[in-house]
């Protein structure tokens, strides 16, 4: 019961839902990409990503100086269903469309820098 409460508390924040929607669309993003797409300061984005990581909704990995976040791939079915429904619910909003448009404007991804 405690996990479910923590999970739904994490899903109740609009900025965290916007992060999840972008990650669901792109698979893996760095904090700088999320900051740009969400038009929010880096410390705020990092704080929200930490909440998502603590409840197991996202995973992170370090690549050189970059920290890359991706949706967790080992969620129980009921959690994956809840997250999918929440992401579907916000993805059609105008604010999420604006987030995606800003993200599309990012021309240099950290993965390209590391590979180059």
């Amino acid at each position: 019961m405690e996990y479910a409460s923590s999970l739904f508390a994490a899903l109740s924040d609009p900025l965290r839902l916007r992060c999840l929607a972008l990650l669901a669309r792109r698979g893996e993003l760095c904090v700088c990409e999320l900051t740009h797409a969400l038009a929010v300061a880096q410390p705020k984005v990092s704080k929200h990503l930490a909440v998502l990581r603590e409840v197991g909704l996202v995973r992170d990995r370090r690549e050189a100086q970059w920290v890359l976040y991706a949706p967790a791939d080992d969620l129980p079915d009921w959690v994956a269903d809840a997250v999918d429904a929440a992401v579907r619910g916000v993805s059609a909003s105008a604010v999420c469309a604006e987030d995606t448009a800003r993200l599309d404007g990012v021309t240099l991804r950290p993965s390209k820098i590391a590979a180059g």
Side-chain angles (χ1 to χ4, degrees):
M1 181 69 133
E2 186 175 318
Y3 176 68
S5 294
S6 297
L7 171 75
F8 288 112
L11 291 174
S12 71
D13 184 87
L15 187 60
R16 289 193 285 266
L17 286 174
R18 290 167 60 198
C19 286
L20 286 172
L22 288 169
L23 291 170
R25 181 179 299 268
R26 295 295 167 90
E28 185 174 70
L29 296 168
C30 76
V31 174
C32 59
E33 290 172 304
L34 287 164
T35 298
H36 179 78
L38 299 167
V40 176
Q42 180 272 324
K44 188 170 187 171
V45 172
S46 292
K47 178 185 126 188
H48 286 285
L49 288 168
V51 171
L52 294 172
R53 187 181 62 242
E54 286 170 10
V55 296
L57 296 179
V58 299
R59 59 182 167 73
D60 65 339
R61 69 179 180 89
R62 183 167 288 282
E63 186 173 306
Q65 74 270 26
W66 308 101
V67 178
L68 300 162
Y69 288 85
D73 51 8
D74 58 348
L75 298 174
D77 289 341
W78 71 271
V79 174
D81 291 343
V83 172
D84 289 343
V87 166
R88 278 193 319 272
V90 300
S91 291
S93 72
V95 73
C96 281
E98 292 168 3
D99 294 344
T100 300
R102 280 190 296 271
L103 184 58
D104 289 342
V106 175
T107 57
L108 189 57
R109 301 222 32 221
S111 57
K112 292 179 183 174
I113 293 170

